[in-house]
Amino acid sequence: MTLALEVEEAFAPGGVLSRAAEHFTPRSGQTEMALAVARAIEGAYPLVVEASTGVGKTFSYLVPALLSGERVLLSTATKALQDQLFGRDLPRLVEALGLPVSTALLKGRASYLCLHRMEMARQEAYLPDGVSVRALARIEEWSKVTRTGDLAELPGLDERSPMIPLVTSTRENCLGAPCPRFRACHVNLARREAMAADVVVINHHLFFADLAVRESGVAELLPSVRIAIFDEAHQLNETGVQFLGTNLTTGQLLDFARDMLATGLQLARGLVDWQQVVSAVEHAARELRLCAGKQYPGTKLRWVDECPEGLDADEWNGALQAVHASCEQVCAALDTVSEIAPDFVRLHERAAELAERARRFVHACEPGCVRWADVGTQLRLVESPLDISKAVKSKVLGGGTGADKTWVFTSATLGDDDKLSWFTQPCGLEDAEVLRVGSPFDYERQAALYVPPAFPKPGDPAHTVKVAESAARWSRRLGGRTMVLTTTLRALRTIGDALREAFQESSDMEVLVQGAMPKRVLIERFREGNANGGKGCVLVASASFWEGIDVPGDALQLVIIDKLPFPPPNDPLAEARSKLLESQGRSAFNDYFLPEAAVALKQGAGRLIRRESDEGVLVVCDSRLASMGYGKRLLRALPPMRRLASEQELADRLDALTRTCTRDCLQT
């Protein structure tokens, strides 16, 4: 029996999935995608699939991959999605299909406890601010019982905890084989298990980090894999751009200085004036940060000729040369103690690498790349390729490991045209087979779209104020159950503050704002606050909340988008991509800005309807969607929701949702 026939039987009514998987319902789109994946596996060619919300794409790629009997690599966007795939979806399907398949989870080294660095942290006289001896003791107790060392398993550990860098390793500070705890290393254990497993779950960051430095273990794994599947593939280009470039941050320099001081005082006190060499690195890092002045946090400074825009070139190059010189001075000091412990050998390698990065940023940018400086508490210097197409073609599809493999790339949002050009072109996949699978949801019945006609223009300072006023009015009518998605952090703060003020006297409404607590906690609080009998909740968020957020049911029934999500034209990467397109005789607006906005808008709108029973309203507070010619293209990218023509129709719809929700609450 061919793989395609096996897959068809599995998805058929009365098939193995309907018998074994709880709540499984055959869907034509899901089966269509699964058969396309099966054919790609049999033919060993690349496949790109846009599978709209509700299709059930996870089963569509997992079933043919598992039934093929081949070795499989699964990559997804985040560690949370990795945990879901590995801990829920894979075990459920392996059991349902009755297959003797072994699975493994592989994350980046920063996800695993480093036993050596934990022991070093215990010996430090002073722990950084926010890190208590009690917190360290809790991790030490957990270290005695954990098998995997995956910090995600430690209850109550905030992913933003300042403790984490103290007890995990990085590529820069890992000692490798000379480490005294090498045999018990959790990272090495995870890699050994991955090498022995039939199905390995990784994330995109890990994959591209390995393409860049061949350090994460994926390089050893990939040659033995026959099927590679990338879920949430819409993030591949930006992730690749991030990892295939070069960066130097003042944070890296200060972390290095801190590690060097701690190691020097513990293992070679008195042999080197550690305070003096560390002070030189710290001073150089701070002087480099001061060069950028008091720029607004989150500002990206374009690189013009020798230095970032608006900065003094002589002062800038002097600061970079001071960084280089201080790192060279460190190398000389470490040469005198390198035989004492492997820690000093690794510190020497780190110092040399930092010195080289500083030297690189003094010289001209590499062809085909763009360079900029991110200004925040730290200063981050970045040089990145404009896209990842060359790397994908040479190192993945065309490399020695790619020719006989099946590569599957899938997401709910990969473009706004039939060729999915937004995704395929920058990722070098123009020759891949492309499939678009529509959603099974009845958007005409389940969802409505409203574009307020009399709003201030997006560039008007009054626009954000109007969004906040309207969001307060609409969410009050609905009793919460509202998510406001903003396109900038500035709008996030303004709208968040305004809504808090609007509801400060209200005991039955809570306003949650991104950044106030970890993302996972915010979403859980939002769900609970809008559940039966809970106080109403409004969530104001930006950036990562536009995608990957799943709040089904009545907890979310109104999504408000402040304006069309065009890339900021003064963003260095957007500007460089625009110039490249124009040099090729193409339109930067039609071929870059518009597709980017369409994909982002589609992602944001996708938060609203997550199940067949969901209902809700999407409000886009940008009249350009209705008034400008290009608005038609953006509207086509959205699900086919019915249009609301006036504020009164919106009010009526919100009232109807409130009545339905109240009735359901009474019945339960």
Side-chain angles (χ1 to χ4, degrees):
M1 184 184 297
T2 66
L3 178 59
L5 282 174
E6 281 190 82
V7 168
E8 196 164 19
E9 285 189 1
F11 280 96
V16 63
L17 291 178
S18 62
R19 294 196 305 270
E22 189 180 0
H23 305 309
F24 175 80
T25 303
R27 304 171 188 168
S28 59
Q30 187 177 51
T31 305
E32 180 187 8
M33 176 178 169
L35 290 173
V37 173
R39 289 191 296 269
I41 291 172
E42 290 179 317
Y45 56 78
L47 172 68
V48 175
V49 185
E50 182 182 77
S52 299
T53 307
V55 167
K57 59 184 169 63
T58 305
F59 274 30
S60 290
Y61 62 70
L62 281 180
V63 170
L66 292 171
L67 288 175
S68 72
E70 301 284 359
R71 198 146 191 246
V72 182
L73 182 72
L74 297 175
S75 181
T76 190
T78 65
K79 289 185 284 188
L81 288 171
Q82 267 187 281
D83 290 334
Q84 179 180 305
L85 259 178
F86 179 75
R88 189 189 72 182
D89 300 331
L90 261 175
R92 185 194 304 178
L93 273 182
V94 167
E95 182 180 1
L97 296 171
L99 297 171
V101 173
S102 60
T103 61
L105 181 68
L106 183 60
K107 299 180 181 179
R109 61 169 63 254
S111 296
Y112 298 99
L113 175 68
C114 173
L115 298 169
H116 177 61
R117 284 182 62 80
M118 180 185 70
E119 291 165 359
M120 294 285 285
R122 167 58 66 184
Q123 297 172 34
E124 286 193 28
Y126 303 102
L127 292 172
D129 291 342
V131 176
S132 67
V133 174
R134 180 179 296 178
L136 181 57
R138 183 164 164 262
I139 290 177
E140 288 174 329
E141 284 300 308
W142 173 75
S143 73
K144 298 172 185 175
V145 297
T146 179
R147 189 191 73 82
T148 67
D150 186 345
L151 290 168
E153 298 173 3
L154 182 55
L157 181 66
D158 188 334
E159 66 248 27
R160 303 176 298 180
S161 169
M163 171 62 74
I164 292 177
L166 293 182
V167 297
T168 59
S169 68
T170 64
R171 182 179 67 86
E172 287 78 16
N173 62 31
C174 174
L175 302 182
C179 177
R181 301 304 304 271
F182 182 74
R183 289 177 63 84
C185 176
H186 290 298
V187 173
N188 290 332
L189 172 64
R191 291 179 181 175
R192 287 196 297 271
E193 290 185 347
M195 288 300 297
D198 300 309
V199 181
V200 183
V201 183
I202 65 168
N203 60 60
H204 303 340
H205 289 79
L206 191 66
F207 181 81
F208 281 108
D210 199 78
L211 280 189
V213 297
R214 308 192 75 75
E215 187 274 338
S216 68
V218 177
E220 291 77 24
L221 181 66
L222 200 54
S224 63
V225 168
R226 253 278 287 130
I227 302 166
I229 299 171
F230 294 84
D231 198 353
E232 301 297 319
H234 64 278
Q235 293 194 14
L236 274 183
N237 188 34
E238 291 307 313
T239 304
V241 163
Q242 176 186 344
F243 278 90
L244 296 175
T246 300
N247 70 78
L248 173 68
T249 75
T250 52
Q252 289 171 344
L253 293 164
L254 294 174
D255 287 347
F256 166 70
R258 182 185 167 282
D259 285 350
M260 182 169 57
L261 181 63
T263 305
L265 293 179
Q266 284 182 32
L267 302 179
R269 184 185 292 270
L271 298 182
V272 171
D273 187 344
W274 296 109
Q275 293 285 1
Q276 188 272 325
V277 292
V278 165
S279 178
V281 175
E282 290 177 336
H283 179 73
R286 293 191 176 104
E287 287 298 309
L288 185 65
R289 172 62 187 86
L290 287 172
C291 284
K294 296 181 179 180
Q295 300 281 346
Y296 192 82
T299 299
K300 287 186 176 182
L301 300 178
R302 293 174 295 175
W303 211 280
V304 181
D305 297 327
E306 297 179 321
C307 71
E309 183 180 34
L311 306 189
D312 182 274
D314 291 337
E315 183 181 313
W316 175 259
N317 285 320
L320 271 179
Q321 287 164 4
V323 170
H324 181 273
S326 67
C327 291
E328 291 280 299
Q329 181 185 0
V330 167
C331 287
L334 290 169
D335 279 336
T336 65
V337 295
S338 60
E339 294 182 1
I340 293 177
D343 306 63
F344 291 123
V345 176
R346 192 68 192 99
L347 283 168
H348 189 287
E349 292 170 353
R350 287 173 70 185
E353 185 170 344
L354 289 168
E356 171 56 27
R357 291 186 191 182
R359 186 198 65 77
R360 177 168 181 164
F361 280 102
V362 172
H363 292 83
C365 184
E366 290 287 324
C369 292
V370 59
R371 186 181 282 182
W372 71 90
D374 276 332
V375 183
T377 307
Q378 300 181 21
L379 182 65
R380 179 169 170 257
L381 313 185
V382 185
E383 182 177 298
S384 289
L386 289 175
D387 62 43
I388 62 170
S389 58
K390 289 181 181 177
V392 171
K393 286 178 178 176
S394 63
K395 297 183 178 182
V396 180
L397 301 179
T401 63
D404 59 342
K405 296 188 190 313
T406 296
W407 300 86
V408 178
F409 305 86
T410 184
S411 172
T413 311
L414 290 175
D416 68 331
D417 65 343
D418 289 339
K419 295 181 179 179
L420 301 177
S421 307
W422 175 85
F423 172 74
T424 56
Q425 285 183 0
C427 290
L429 293 164
E430 299 96 325
D431 297 330
E433 180 174 314
V434 170
L435 173 66
R436 302 184 80 184
V437 182
S439 174
F441 297 156
D442 183 358
Y443 281 102
E444 183 71 24
R445 177 187 62 81
Q446 294 178 251
L449 168 66
Y450 179 57
V451 182
F455 250 62
K457 293 182 179 179
D460 188 327
H463 177 268
T464 303
V465 176
K466 182 72 170 176
V467 173
E469 290 174 353
S470 302
R473 184 169 67 254
W474 298 331
S475 60
R476 183 179 280 114
R477 194 167 200 120
L478 194 57
R481 309 204 300 277
T482 300
M483 182 181 291
V484 183
L485 296 175
T486 71
T487 51
T488 65
L489 292 177
R490 193 188 297 261
L492 168 78
R493 285 186 281 268
T494 301
I495 294 171
D497 290 345
L499 286 174
R500 280 173 171 155
E501 185 176 346
F503 291 115
Q504 63 181 348
E505 305 294 331
S506 176
S507 61
D508 59 352
M509 190 76 81
E510 182 179 12
V511 177
L512 304 171
V513 180
Q514 178 183 345
M517 55 189 78
K519 181 177 179 180
R520 174 182 48 80
V521 178
L522 272 176
I523 295 299
E524 199 55 45
R525 187 91 158 256
F526 181 76
R527 287 195 187 106
E528 291 173 358
N530 288 313
N532 295 349
K535 63 158 59 179
C537 268
V538 179
L539 173 60
V540 186
S542 186
S544 61
F545 282 75
W546 282 68
E547 58 183 79
I549 302 299
D550 192 16
V551 186
D554 295 340
L556 175 59
Q557 293 193 309
L558 176 61
V559 172
I560 301 169
I561 293 176
D562 69 336
K563 57 186 176 183
L564 296 176
F566 287 108
N570 57 350
D571 178 88
L573 193 55
E575 189 177 70
R577 285 172 172 165
S578 298
K579 288 180 178 177
L580 178 62
L581 287 169
E582 287 166 358
S583 72
Q584 298 168 349
R586 298 167 65 188
S587 165
F589 183 76
N590 289 329
D591 294 343
Y592 175 63
F593 286 99
L594 205 50
E596 287 281 333
V599 168
L601 186 63
K602 197 173 178 180
Q603 284 283 353
R607 299 316 98 216
L608 185 63
I609 304 298
R610 308 299 299 174
R611 302 291 186 272
E612 286 87 346
S613 57
D614 289 356
E615 292 185 280
V617 179
L618 171 68
V619 179
V620 181
C621 301
D622 192 331
S623 59
R624 293 176 296 178
L625 187 59
S627 64
M628 300 300 288
Y630 59 75
K632 293 178 181 178
R633 179 172 172 182
L634 295 175
L635 285 169
R636 284 197 300 271
L638 291 173
M641 307 173 180
R642 71 179 179 280
R643 292 286 295 274
L644 301 178
S646 67
E647 179 101 9
Q648 184 57 52
E649 286 191 18
L650 172 65
D652 292 344
R653 184 61 192 143
L654 295 179
D655 289 345
L657 290 171
T658 302
R659 287 194 297 272
T660 302
C661 184
T662 302
R663 186 186 66 234
D664 292 345
C665 289
L666 290 173
Q667 289 175 350
T668 56

